[in-house]
Amino acid sequence: MASCEDSGNNMNEGASDINPSHGSSPINDSNGKCNCMKSQCLKLYCQCLSAGNFCNDNCSCKNCLNKEANKDRVKQIKKEKQSRDPRAFEPKVIVDEMSRNRKGCICRKSGCMKKYCSCFGFEVGCSCHCQCQNCTNQYGVKGSSSSAKEQERVNDSNNGSKNVETMDNGSSSQSHHPPVYDNSPNQLSENSDARADDELDNSNVNNIPMPMPSNQVASPDYNFAVHQNHVAAPYYYRPLTPVQIQSSRNNFTEQQSTDLFGDPDWHGQSSFLRTNPPFYYDNNVAEPSSIPRIQSSQQYQPHQSHGFHQQVEASFGAMTRQHPFLRSSQQPNNGDATNMQLRLHPHLHGRWPSPPPIDD
DNA sequence: GAGTTTGAAACT
DNA sequence: CAGTTTCAAACTC
C-alpha cells in the first residue's frame, strides 16, 4: 500500500515542495494519512498536504483533490499557502539542544500535555515561541530553559568547566523521539530566514555569534543537535552543487545521500549520520530527513573492541580534528561516552566556527 | 463508533 | 491583526 511517506508519493517538484517525508503530522500517529471530510485535502488542515505529500490509499478522506492526478492544482494551492507563510511546508520542529516546535503552540486548556498541543505531539518542549497558558509540557515548560531531564544534563555539565556541552550516549534510557529536523539557518542560502532572530545579532557567515546562555546550552542556530540524552554531531547545511541539485531532482536515491555524507569535506560527517538517509534537497540546501540521532542506546553502545569513546572519535573525528576549535575530552575512564564532553576551544570566545567551506 | 473537546488554519 | 469560524485530530464515553 502506498503511503504519504513513500517517496514516490511525494510531490517532488516545484518550489520548496520537497520535504522530509515525515515532517508532517506533528500530532497524530497516523503516519501520513488523513481523514479530511470537507477540505478536499487542499487546506493545511490536511496532514498529507501539510507534509507536502499527496493523499494515498491509506487515507480515509472524502472528495480528495490532493492527488497526483490533480498535481497542477495542488501545486497552485501550495504556492498560495506559501505566499501566506513561506515556511508552511517546512518541518515543524527545529533541532536545538532540546528541540522545539518552530511555530510554537497556543494551547489554552490542554496544559500542553495532550496531543492537541503541537509541541507535546512532537514530544518537544514549549518555548518562547509558544503562547500557551498553564503550560505543563513534560518535555519542557514554556519559559524554562529546559525540561527537567535536560536541566539535569545542563546542571551536570555546569559542574565542569564553562562552555561545555555534555554528551550522553543514551544509556539513561530516554525513549527516542519522533523525527525532528534541523531548521537552523543556512548561512549560505538565500532563504536563510530560519533563524531564531531573537537570539542572533547578525548573520555574518564568517563570524557567527554564539549566544551562549548562562546555562551553557548551545543555541539551536548552530546545528548542535544534542537530543535529550542522545548524541549527534554539530553539522551545517551546505549549499549543493548544480550537479547535486540536478541529481536530486532527477533520481535521488538513498545511495546518493549516503555518498553525499561520505564526502570527506563534510566536516560533520559521521558513520551514524550516514545511517540516517535519505536527505532531501530544498532551496539548494541539503537537509537530513531526520536529524542525525541515535535511535537506541543499543545502536551506539560502547563498542566491544574499541569502546564508545573511540567510536565517537571515529564518528566525530572529522569534526574534532578538522575543526581546530573543538576538541573532545573524556571523563576518566571507562570506555563509554556517558559523560563525554565536547569543549569549545578557549579562543572561540563564545563563537562557533564558520560552516565548512563549500565544495564544488 | 458517536459525540465532545481542542487548537491550528482559515476567514472576516 | 484581533476576533471568529471552520476543520480535523485527539479524546471520552
Side-chain angles (χ1 to χ4, degrees):
Chain A
M1 255 266 191
S3 149
C4 282
E5 293 197 351
D6 291 345
S7 57
N9 216 21
N10 267 353
M11 294 178 275
N12 57 355
E13 62 180 313
S16 301
D17 52 7
I18 300 171
N19 267 350
S21 58
H22 29 224
S24 60
S25 61
I27 298 175
N28 77 5
D29 294 326
S30 54
N31 271 337
K33 62 179 183 180
C34 70
N35 299 294
C36 305
M37 297 288 117
K38 300 180 179 179
S39 68
Q40 297 182 299
C41 301
L42 290 180
K43 296 195 173 183
L44 292 174
Y45 296 127
C46 174
Q47 296 194 4
C48 298
L49 184 79
S50 178
N53 296 325
F54 290 120
C55 289
N56 61 80
D57 295 344
N58 289 330
C59 295
S60 305
C61 43
K62 292 190 168 60
N63 304 316
C64 180
L65 294 178
N66 183 28
K67 300 285 189 184
E68 185 151 16
N70 196 35
K71 66 181 178 184
D72 290 341
R73 183 170 177 192
V74 171
K75 192 172 178 178
Q76 181 58 36
I77 293 287
K78 290 191 73 184
K79 281 183 179 174
E80 289 171 12
K81 304 299 179 195
Q82 285 179 314
S83 69
R84 181 177 300 177
D85 177 6
R87 296 159 71 179
F89 300 96
E90 286 186 16
K92 310 298 187 291
V93 170
I94 61 175
V95 171
D96 61 2
E97 70 282 8
M98 293 156 275
S99 298
R100 293 295 189 228
N101 180 357
R102 175 169 58 79
K103 295 191 76 170
C105 67
I106 56 173
C107 305
R108 292 159 294 182
K109 300 181 178 180
S110 68
C112 302
M113 277 296 284
K114 296 193 173 182
K115 283 191 168 183
Y116 295 128
C117 172
S118 56
C119 301
F120 182 88
F122 270 126
E123 296 183 26
V124 302
C126 288
S127 68
C128 57
H129 302 299
C130 299
Q131 299 173 53
C132 46
Q133 298 167 14
N134 304 316
C135 178
T136 56
N137 188 336
Q138 71 178 73
Y139 299 105
V141 175
K142 171 193 171 188
S144 76
S145 59
S146 60
S147 66
K149 284 184 180 298
E150 191 64 21
Q151 189 62 55
E152 200 172 294
R153 182 181 69 77
V154 169
N155 290 342
D156 286 347
S157 72
N158 284 345
N159 289 335
S161 54
K162 301 215 171 198
N163 287 351
V164 170
E165 186 78 21
T166 299
M167 298 166 56
D168 288 337
N169 68 356
S171 59
S172 59
S173 79
Q174 247 324 303
S175 61
H176 80 75
H177 280 200
V180 290
Y181 310 94
D182 190 336
N183 202 19
S184 305
N186 165 22
Q187 302 286 347
L188 305 174
S189 164
E190 58 187 16
N191 289 332
S192 62
D193 64 341
R195 64 178 52 244
D197 293 321
D198 54 348
E199 293 182 2
L200 292 177
D201 57 21
N202 67 61
S203 58
N204 186 329
V205 170
N206 297 315
N207 193 18
I208 305 169
M210 185 185 68
M212 184 62 80
S214 59
N215 62 11
Q216 304 302 322
V217 173
S219 158
D221 300 289
Y222 298 91
N223 304 331
F224 218 105
V226 176
H227 201 228
Q228 289 283 3
N229 293 317
H230 303 323
V231 177
Y235 60 95
Y236 297 93
Y237 281 176
R238 66 195 292 242
L240 300 182
T241 63
V243 170
Q244 287 172 325
I245 293 165
Q246 191 58 46
S247 174
S248 71
R249 300 264 182 230
N250 292 343
N251 187 26
F252 188 67
T253 66
E254 188 166 314
Q255 184 58 47
Q256 283 171 295
S257 71
T258 299
D259 291 345
L260 175 67
F261 267 71
D263 185 335
D265 283 338
W266 179 272
H267 291 227
Q269 66 140 324
S270 71
S271 57
F272 69 78
L273 275 173
R274 288 185 226 126
T275 68
N276 288 273
F279 296 89
Y280 294 83
Y281 300 144
D282 194 10
N283 298 326
N284 299 350
V285 175
E287 180 178 17
S289 61
S290 64
I291 64 163
R293 63 195 170 98
I294 294 176
Q295 301 201 4
S296 70
S297 56
Q298 185 179 18
Q299 189 175 359
Y300 297 104
Q301 272 176 348
H303 191 279
Q304 215 168 17
S305 59
H306 300 97
F308 192 78
H309 177 63
Q310 284 81 357
Q311 202 172 7
V312 169
E313 271 296 311
S315 298
F316 286 75
M319 181 273 293
T320 56
R321 284 192 298 275
Q322 294 175 24
H323 274 306
F325 313 113
L326 294 170
R327 62 188 183 192
S328 62
S329 68
Q330 187 185 18
Q331 293 292 315
N333 249 221
N334 52 11
D336 77 24
T338 301
N339 294 305
M340 181 180 171
Q341 299 174 334
L342 274 183
R343 294 168 184 271
L344 272 175
H345 192 285
H347 91 251
L348 268 177
H349 297 303
R351 289 177 182 276
W352 288 105
S354 302
I358 301 168
D359 175 34
D360 284 316

